[in-house]
Amino acid sequence: MITSSDIFAISSQKQFEKIALKMFRFQYENNLVYQEFCDFLKTDPHKVKSLQQIPFLPIQFFKSHKVVSNTNPIQETFTSSGTTGMITSKHLVTDVTLYEESYRKGFSEFYGNIEDYVVLALLPSYLEREGSSLIYMVKDLIALSNHPESGFYLHNHDELIAKLIALDQAGQNVILIGVTFALLDLIEKHQFQLQHTIIMETGGMKGKRKEMIREELHEQLCKGFGVSSIHSEYGMTELLSQAYSLGNGVFECPSWIQILVRDTEDALTYIQDGKTGGINVIDLANINSCSFIATQDLGKKNPNNSFEVLGRFDNSDIRGCNLMVI
């Protein structure tokens, strides 16, 4: 049996690989959807001896199947955002304490003690629906900050502007977590010069604005907030962990997450560092669902295991293993 203490105590590549292979065997035996997928690929679990031999479940399976690795009661159902009529992903979580431990430890690893910050959240598109794993996390971080000024903002920009200016002038460390379009809306109302505030964008225009390349987006946000860099969070409904970028769009992972980059033409082949391909994520916190996810994000991996996100597949680019979803 794999426990949270096994996962969150990983300190070496050898240890990561050992637990990942153990996780693969556990999920092959206990997750019927994943087992069927592996069998479809004619994968013999006894012959899987490396990370590269592990099948990665296409992320679309979370839209059409119940991806669970036990029979315990569902504690939380996290759902992805989507426009009206779209089929959304559902992550059925049977132990929400794994999620809490993952994001708390991950945040602490990159930013230190949460009580050192006021946490402000500008996440209108997420606040306006139920089942957001991002809202669950940020709500908890706001509570853990133990600061009366921490809180959510929906469309009350004037109040947020006044609070950001006052806190920054008082020398208070602040993290403003915002969905991209809302951050752009904010700086159109007011141009800041912030010295003690971290701006963290969670990505996505949610159909509110045209998509922008990261360099252009971060340049606008840096200018509008008067900061030298924009931080980013890389997470999704189907994962119980996050990677963080402290600037320049380069993401670092906590010790229980790793990525591999697959060939866009052949989903079972991996490409070398520095080349662009599809991002596969190993998230060992996903004990009770699936830890091996083939995302629809395009990116490249650096030699030090950091990575960059460069875009997304469009439907015409989905090939290989993903055909089983259809």
Side-chain angles (χ1 to χ4, degrees):
M1 182 64 188
I2 303 167
T3 65
S4 61
S5 58
D6 296 326
I7 292 165
F8 299 122
I10 289 172
S11 59
S12 68
Q13 179 64 21
K14 186 176 180 180
Q15 199 177 7
F16 181 93
E17 291 179 10
K18 181 180 178 181
I19 293 175
L21 289 167
K22 187 177 179 181
M23 185 77 75
F24 162 69
R25 289 187 286 271
F26 167 77
Q27 292 182 339
Y28 177 83
E29 292 169 4
N30 292 279
N31 185 325
L32 295 179
V33 171
Y34 186 53
Q35 184 182 97
E36 184 180 346
F37 176 70
C38 292
D39 291 346
F40 175 81
L41 295 178
K42 297 181 170 53
T43 301
D44 182 347
H46 301 291
K47 292 182 180 178
V48 173
K49 305 294 184 186
S50 70
L51 301 183
Q52 288 77 11
Q53 293 174 309
I54 295 174
F56 282 74
L57 190 72
I59 202 165
Q60 300 96 301
F61 272 74
F62 284 83
K63 293 183 177 182
S64 54
H65 296 74
K66 293 182 177 180
V67 184
V68 289
S69 294
N70 59 37
T71 56
N72 296 339
I74 305 303
Q75 294 182 355
E76 291 283 343
T77 298
F78 292 133
T79 57
S80 62
S81 56
T83 56
T84 303
M86 281 182 63
I87 300 172
T88 57
S89 290
K90 290 186 177 181
H91 192 171
L92 306 177
V93 180
T94 60
D95 183 1
V96 77
T97 64
L98 275 168
Y99 181 45
E100 292 169 350
E101 190 170 4
S102 176
Y103 67 66
R104 288 171 183 174
K105 285 183 181 293
F107 181 90
S108 177
E109 184 173 320
F110 289 97
Y111 294 99
N113 188 348
I114 183 65
E115 292 189 2
D116 292 339
Y117 298 93
V118 168
V119 179
L120 304 177
L122 184 59
L123 301 166
S125 61
Y126 293 93
L127 283 167
E128 292 164 320
R129 68 178 183 83
E130 294 183 358
S132 165
S133 58
L134 178 63
I135 292 298
Y136 188 102
M137 176 181 78
V138 175
K139 184 178 181 181
D140 189 48
L141 292 176
I142 286 171
L144 290 171
S145 75
N146 199 28
H147 200 292
E149 299 288 354
S150 293
F152 283 101
Y153 290 81
L154 187 57
H155 301 296
N156 42 337
H157 285 175
D158 292 339
E159 185 184 346
L160 177 57
I161 289 166
K163 183 166 284 191
L164 276 170
I165 293 169
L167 289 169
D168 199 74
Q169 287 178 347
Q172 171 66 52
N173 291 326
V174 175
I175 293 182
L176 173 61
I177 302 174
V179 67
T180 304
F181 77 84
L183 292 174
L184 289 168
D185 288 347
L186 187 65
I187 60 173
E188 283 184 359
K189 290 200 71 172
H190 185 87
Q191 295 281 299
F192 298 86
Q193 284 297 321
L194 302 174
Q195 297 182 5
H196 305 283
T197 302
I198 291 170
I199 307 299
M200 182 186 295
E201 54 100 0
T202 65
M205 295 298 187
K206 307 299 177 191
K208 308 282 187 179
R209 289 170 173 258
K210 72 178 183 70
E211 294 291 338
M212 300 165 63
I213 62 170
R214 178 186 57 80
E215 288 83 0
E216 181 186 1
L217 168 65
H218 283 203
E219 183 181 348
Q220 282 193 30
L221 291 176
C222 281
K223 183 178 179 182
F225 286 105
V227 296
S228 60
S229 63
I230 300 298
H231 293 219
S232 304
E233 178 255 3
Y234 181 79
M236 56 192 73
T237 300
E238 300 83 0
L239 303 178
L240 293 187
S241 303
Q242 298 78 31
Y244 289 100
S245 167
L246 306 188
N248 302 317
V250 178
F251 289 91
E252 306 274 354
C253 298
S255 60
W256 57 92
I257 312 177
Q258 287 191 15
I259 72 151
L260 302 173
V261 179
R262 67 184 186 271
D263 192 317
T264 55
E265 299 291 336
D266 179 0
L268 302 180
T269 300
Y270 293 97
I271 59 177
Q272 65 191 57
D273 291 350
K275 300 275 189 176
T276 300
I279 294 177
N280 285 0
V281 180
I282 302 174
D283 181 1
L284 296 179
N286 276 22
I287 298 174
N288 300 315
S289 52
C290 183
S291 289
F292 311 98
I293 306 296
T295 78
Q296 289 182 278
D297 291 327
L298 291 166
K300 63 181 181 180
K301 185 178 177 183
N302 301 318
N304 65 352
N305 284 329
S306 64
F307 68 99
E308 298 172 50
V309 181
L310 303 174
R312 289 177 65 81
F313 284 86
D314 62 35
N315 289 331
S316 65
D317 288 328
I318 300 171
R319 301 180 175 90
C321 301
N322 293 338
L323 293 174
M324 187 182 167
V325 183
I326 300 170

